[in-house]
Amino acid sequence: MKIDVAALKNAPGKIFTYTFTVAPGYLQAEGETTLLTPLAVDLEAMYCEGKVIVKGNLRTKVKMTCSRCLQQFSSDFYEEFEDEIPLEQETEIDLTGVISELFLTALPFKPLCREACKGLCPVCGTDLNVKQCGCPAEDVDPRLAVLKKFSAHS
């Protein structure tokens, strides 16, 4: 994923369009995230006053583990970006590290299979999206039970 700086410098202000594809095995995401399809990168680059301005988007399909119910799910991933890359004497810019960093930082910190995911029962571990368990709804730590008196008087 390299951009020829000379071509950009020879046409300041002109927008150059690039398309790259990153193989699923190339990017190592943290945790339980896996690329199901290649990462498509569409970007525009322009030279302006000693720097290259790049903007574009990243697209792929990822497999993640829900942070509430621990079930794996697949999701479409789409992220737009814009960045300025200052130039010294470079003849080309390798965007591999930049794209990898953009992708990894755009992944959700706590992925959810769906917004309304009910998660797991903290007592028995039943997936509450599948069925309700018979555990008491409010299991209070006995050390904190004294505090319930304060809320009753409010």
Side-chain angles (χ1 to χ4, degrees):
M1 288 190 285
K2 296 181 180 180
I3 294 177
D4 181 16
V5 173
L8 293 172
K9 282 184 174 180
N10 289 336
K14 181 179 179 195
I15 296 175
F16 289 78
T17 303
Y18 300 89
T19 301
F20 301 105
T21 303
V22 181
Y26 186 78
L27 290 173
Q28 292 300 320
E30 295 294 318
E32 301 281 328
T33 302
T34 308
L35 270 76
L36 296 174
T37 60
L39 177 66
V41 181
D42 294 318
L43 66 90
E44 295 176 341
M46 176 181 71
Y47 178 78
C48 181
E49 299 174 4
K51 61 189 170 214
V52 174
I53 300 168
V54 293
K55 64 180 178 177
N57 62 67
L58 309 174
R59 292 182 326 277
T60 188
K61 191 170 194 79
V62 292
K63 180 171 73 172
M64 296 183 273
T65 301
C66 180
S67 62
R68 288 185 189 160
C69 68
L70 305 179
Q71 296 296 316
Q72 289 194 333
F73 67 98
S74 61
S75 175
D76 291 327
F77 174 89
Y78 180 83
E79 182 70 16
E80 292 182 355
F81 64 90
E82 187 169 339
D83 202 0
E84 292 182 2
I85 303 169
L87 295 176
E88 299 291 327
Q89 300 299 320
E90 295 92 351
T91 56
E92 66 182 15
I93 300 172
D94 187 355
L95 293 173
T96 305
V98 173
I99 296 301
S100 178
E101 186 177 312
L102 286 167
F103 171 72
L104 294 174
T105 57
L107 287 171
F109 185 67
K110 290 190 173 193
L112 296 176
C113 59
R114 61 183 174 275
E115 198 63 40
C117 177
K118 296 176 184 176
L120 303 175
C121 171
V123 177
C124 69
T126 297
D127 185 345
L128 299 174
N129 296 307
V130 177
K131 68 175 187 169
Q132 283 299 113
C133 61
C135 296
E138 195 174 318
D139 189 26
V140 177
D141 185 329
R143 296 170 291 180
L144 301 175
V146 175
L147 298 175
K148 285 196 123 206
K149 294 177 188 175
F150 293 116
S151 65
H153 296 287
S154 297

